[in-house]
Amino acid sequence: PCALVISVPLGFFGGIGAASGIGVLVKGSNYLEAAAEMETVVFDKTGTLTKGEFKVTSISPAEGFTDREVLKMAAHGEGYSTHPIAKSIQSAYEGDLALELVEGVEELAGHGLKAIYDGKELYLGNLALMKEQAAVSVEQNPDASFGTVVYVAYDGRYAGKIQISDTVKDGAKEALSDMKAVGVKKTVMLTGDRREAADAVAGMLGVDEVHAELLPADKVEWVEKLMEETAGKG
């Protein structure tokens, strides 16, 4: 019947138009149909479920170092970076940066960075970097609070850690709840952040499954694994 033939494309046009009205771009009707059938949705954490607006909330220096020294080293090491976490460290340090003292900055994917600061090796990054790359002894007192931790090692010594907090996006919890209401059965969060911070965010939002402390390649592997699991159920 003509009414049926006309209603199908109009339904797609209406759906695509309604989505664009709230800032969601749908490339075509086939993607709209695929979205309607999704049962598992995977999210990144920083900048997706959280705002990605970071602020230094605490500094814990190791013996022999001060708060000021730890922050100064971190600010110089991150001096050339535009990453949100790096910018938060730069903003927290109130002094002028003598970037001529920094050279040989090397990004260590999924771990942090290495640099030469004032003639000595400086490492900034996660706990794995401290153990594997910096080869220094780290005082382990896990902080279960919500946020990211940047560990600092200088001249072969563990210098301390900097706690940086992010905030959950407004409406994120409601969005996940709405997805469940229309048929999504499982929500998954993948993040390179530490387990404690990831669990804290997941608890706030009601995420079903969390995988933390992942490298970029690990995230790809998890997405592929979840796709295989979903295809197997189909």
Side-chain angles (χ1 to χ4, degrees):
C2 291
L4 178 61
V5 173
I6 293 172
S7 68
V8 174
L10 281 178
F12 287 132
F13 290 145
I16 293 171
S20 65
I22 59 173
V24 178
L25 176 63
V26 182
K27 296 175 67 176
S29 59
N30 54 327
Y31 298 102
L32 201 61
E33 285 186 301
E37 298 173 355
M38 285 192 302
E39 294 186 353
T40 300
V41 181
V42 182
F43 300 89
D44 189 30
K45 181 180 75 66
T46 304
T48 302
L49 296 176
T50 64
K51 293 181 179 179
E53 298 173 356
F54 298 94
K55 182 179 180 180
V56 172
T57 53
S58 69
I59 303 172
S60 303
E63 185 176 352
F65 294 90
T66 66
D67 290 16
R68 174 78 176 174
E69 289 171 336
V70 172
L71 184 58
K72 182 178 181 180
M73 289 186 287
H76 278 81
E78 299 281 16
Y80 292 105
S81 177
T82 58
H83 189 281
I85 289 180
K87 299 297 286 185
S88 72
I89 292 175
Q90 294 166 21
S91 297
Y93 179 65
E94 298 177 351
D96 294 328
L97 294 177
L99 294 182
E100 66 274 9
L101 298 177
V102 182
E103 56 186 351
V105 178
E106 180 183 350
E107 294 284 345
L108 304 173
H111 288 79
L113 64 82
K114 171 186 176 183
I116 301 299
Y117 170 58
D118 199 16
K120 299 176 182 178
E121 284 190 340
L122 170 68
Y123 285 91
L124 304 174
N126 56 22
L127 188 58
L129 174 65
M130 294 295 105
K131 292 180 177 179
E132 299 170 13
Q133 301 280 2
V136 296
S137 176
V138 180
E139 297 171 6
Q140 296 189 48
N141 50 336
D143 188 341
S145 62
F146 174 33
T148 296
V149 174
V150 175
Y151 293 89
V152 182
Y154 184 61
D155 192 24
R157 295 174 59 198
Y158 170 59
K161 65 180 181 179
I162 299 174
Q163 175 93 13
I164 301 166
S165 295
D166 191 4
T167 54
V168 170
K169 278 188 177 179
D170 297 334
K173 183 175 182 178
E174 291 76 11
L176 268 64
S177 178
D178 289 345
M179 289 181 186
K180 289 292 188 71
V182 295
V184 172
K185 295 181 179 179
K186 182 168 73 172
T187 53
V188 182
M189 184 176 75
L190 307 179
T191 178
D193 210 343
R194 62 199 179 98
R195 166 59 60 182
E196 293 84 3
D199 287 343
V201 174
M204 292 179 193
L205 299 178
V207 176
D208 298 313
E209 186 176 319
V210 182
H211 301 284
E213 301 177 11
L214 302 178
L215 299 177
D218 297 329
K219 294 182 181 181
V220 174
E221 290 180 7
W222 268 109
V223 170
E224 291 175 344
K225 181 178 179 180
L226 289 165
M227 289 175 69
E228 291 175 359
E229 291 176 358
T230 303
K233 293 179 181 178

